[in-house]
Amino acid sequence: MAGTFIARQTLLVAFAAMLLMTFTLHVTTAFAPTSTISSKSTTVTSSSALYASTAAKEMPDKVLLIGPGLLQLVVAKALRARGTDVLIVCPNDKKERFTDYIQNGLDEDADEAGAEIMAKALFGLPEESDPEGFGWREGITAVVVCAEDPVIGQGVIDTVMRWDGFGNDRNTMVDGPERAILCAPITSKVTKEKPMGWIPIFNNDKNEDKIWDSLVTDWSENPYVSGDKGNCKSSVIRFGSLLGGGVDGPMQLEPLGINERCYKMSLEQYRDLRERSFDRYRLAAQVLNGDAVNKKPDEQEEKEKNIKGQEKEAFQASMGYPEQDRTNRHTLAQAVCEALRRPVREQSAAATDDGSIPEEFTVLSKAISALPLEEEWDSMFANPQPAAWPDPANFVMPVIDQD
């Protein structure tokens, strides 16, 4: 009991620090809140049909998501769509807004499931003294750390990984999680993209790189990650500048996307259009080994000099055009889901078709208006590499019928 009390107190202190650092979630009034909270629903959302084949490789029954951020909500919806329950840990002052953001008004089952997730969200880890239903030794076997911004302070990783609430039996302690994933940004971006919470004058990102580096170090040195304790399979998923995550795209996003408010949370000019464009045109994935980017070759730059304006925009939104250092939140969320149901291979291991994932890999987007299929993930994980750059000479400008 004393141990769980200390664990919660440690998390409370850490998350209190987050409140001073985390991005500001700007609430707009253009969209009314959607459905009310129901704490009894166990409905699997309608998108589960998209992933029927995942039964061959089991998903965890329940996953602990450490945030906060929009990515945390997108990952939660992706997991729930595959039949996996979720416990979100986030600051209390985010719960009400997150409850609105996680519901998009387009899929009733998914909205009900999202409201249920937020109804059970906690500011800290469940304890032995909590009543049944809070999550202590109630099926959580995996952890995903998926904050978008550098807000997780020192000690949070240790507190989470040594939590005594993992497992299924309230009378049996499990030493750490079975599976753990850290989502962290790539370290060398080609273009410095402003984050979603960017605010003129007030935004201060001088220490961001140091905080992220410290988090990755804390992760790698954690005894459950290093293998000194427990029996945990861990991995790091790197991501580029994050965009998208809403519903302004193909129908398959309706049960997966968060509220349209997510497009309108930055004061950066034209950010809304860029966010939407990722959900409409850039849902496919590239999987690269380690911490990497797909820098555009000089010869590709030379080829693209001959196309201008709208034609260039259309070309870069089609033909599987790869992103150098940007990632759609939906694409990253699907990568997290796939990683949770696959074994982990050592970083130095050769390419393989055994369904495993590298210990560390990067997920970037490319221009296809559909999320990757399971066999595409199989191929990308088996042989991680940057996507090829299309030749603009093969591009035909679409003709729009004006009638």
Side-chain angles (χ1 to χ4, degrees):
M1 179 74 73
T4 54
F5 176 78
I6 293 172
R8 176 165 287 187
Q9 293 303 310
T10 302
L11 267 187
L12 290 176
V13 171
F15 279 117
M18 288 184 192
L19 299 181
L20 300 176
M21 299 172 61
T22 190
F23 61 86
T24 302
L25 297 175
H26 303 287
V27 180
T28 61
T29 58
F31 301 93
T34 51
S35 62
T36 57
I37 294 177
S38 169
S39 60
K40 298 181 180 180
S41 171
T42 56
T43 305
V44 177
T45 67
S46 57
S47 70
S48 59
L50 295 173
Y51 310 106
S53 61
T54 62
K57 302 171 184 175
E58 292 184 1
M59 293 288 293
D61 289 335
K62 192 169 185 176
V63 177
L64 180 65
L65 295 183
I66 307 296
L70 297 183
L71 176 62
Q72 187 183 30
L73 301 184
V74 178
V75 172
K77 296 197 75 169
L79 286 169
R80 195 57 182 268
R82 295 181 181 227
T84 294
D85 201 2
V86 173
L87 176 62
I88 279 182
V89 175
C90 69
N92 281 333
D93 73 333
K94 299 292 185 281
K95 281 189 63 173
E96 182 176 352
R97 284 175 285 181
F98 278 12
T99 300
D100 290 341
Y101 296 152
I102 203 170
Q103 302 171 84
N104 60 43
L106 297 178
D107 188 299
E108 184 177 350
D109 288 343
D111 282 353
E112 187 175 0
E116 179 190 356
I117 288 170
M118 292 313 305
K120 295 180 179 179
L122 296 174
F123 183 35
L125 297 174
E127 301 175 0
E128 182 180 3
S129 59
D130 291 329
E132 291 187 17
F134 275 71
W136 189 82
R137 297 187 185 174
E138 293 177 349
I140 296 176
T141 58
V143 175
V144 177
V145 180
C146 51
E148 285 196 24
D149 295 281
V151 296
I152 295 183
Q154 186 176 10
V156 172
I157 297 299
D158 286 340
T159 300
V160 170
M161 297 296 283
R162 61 181 169 83
W163 177 51
D164 67 349
F166 293 111
N168 297 286
D169 185 350
R170 293 180 72 89
N171 296 317
T172 304
M173 179 179 177
V174 176
D175 192 17
E178 296 176 5
R179 189 72 177 86
I181 293 175
L182 171 66
C183 298
I186 53 180
T187 55
S188 300
K189 293 181 180 177
V190 178
T191 304
K192 184 67 174 177
E193 183 89 31
K194 293 181 176 67
M196 174 65 82
W198 177 78
I199 304 175
I201 301 176
F202 299 105
N203 199 60
N204 182 356
D205 59 2
K206 291 182 179 179
N207 296 318
E208 285 189 2
D209 292 343
K210 290 182 179 179
I211 297 172
W212 279 121
D213 289 344
S214 177
L215 176 62
V216 175
T217 299
D218 286 349
W219 177 266
S220 61
E221 293 179 351
N222 181 270
Y224 292 96
V225 174
S226 65
D228 293 336
K229 288 185 178 181
N231 186 26
C232 177
K233 301 299 182 183
S234 65
S235 51
V236 176
I237 302 180
R238 296 280 185 172
F239 56 85
S241 298
L242 291 170
L243 294 102
V247 293
D248 192 356
M251 287 185 63
Q252 68 180 141
L253 299 186
E254 290 185 3
L256 302 173
I258 56 179
N259 198 288
E260 282 220 5
R261 295 180 186 186
C262 73
Y263 297 131
K264 303 175 180 294
M265 288 168 48
S266 173
L267 299 182
E268 184 186 1
Q269 192 175 23
Y270 304 124
R271 178 67 178 230
D272 175 36
L273 298 178
R274 292 211 309 282
E275 296 277 350
R276 291 178 185 275
S277 75
F278 263 66
D279 285 342
R280 292 178 184 178
Y281 309 117
R282 297 173 175 90
L283 291 168
Q286 309 171 69
V287 173
L288 294 76
N289 209 27
D291 175 8
V293 297
N294 185 4
K295 192 174 186 307
K296 186 189 296 187
D298 292 341
E299 54 266 30
Q300 181 72 19
E301 292 279 12
E302 191 66 27
K303 291 178 182 178
E304 293 183 20
K305 285 183 178 180
N306 296 324
I307 52 175
K308 308 289 183 182
Q310 292 182 342
E311 185 179 7
K312 187 171 185 177
E313 290 180 10
F315 169 64
Q316 294 180 345
S318 61
M319 297 182 67
Y321 192 93
E323 289 294 325
Q324 299 184 90
D325 58 359
R326 298 191 295 181
T327 308
N328 190 307
R329 291 182 182 88
H330 284 301
T331 312
L332 179 56
Q334 295 303 316
V336 169
C337 292
E338 288 293 329
L340 283 169
R341 55 189 281 268
R342 296 169 183 265
V344 181
R345 65 177 182 266
E346 293 184 3
Q347 200 65 32
S348 58
T352 176
D353 60 357
D354 64 358
S356 64
I357 62 170
E359 284 181 320
E360 181 176 5
F361 63 91
T362 297
V363 176
L364 301 175
S365 292
K366 65 179 181 181
I368 296 176
S369 297
L371 293 168
L373 301 173
E374 181 183 1
E375 52 266 31
E376 292 175 309
W377 287 114
D378 289 341
S379 176
M380 288 185 288
F381 286 134
N383 187 24
Q385 60 182 321
W389 293 85
D391 189 342
N394 298 325
F395 174 67
V396 178
M397 183 69 175
V399 177
I400 300 176
D401 190 354
Q402 299 294 333
D403 295 337

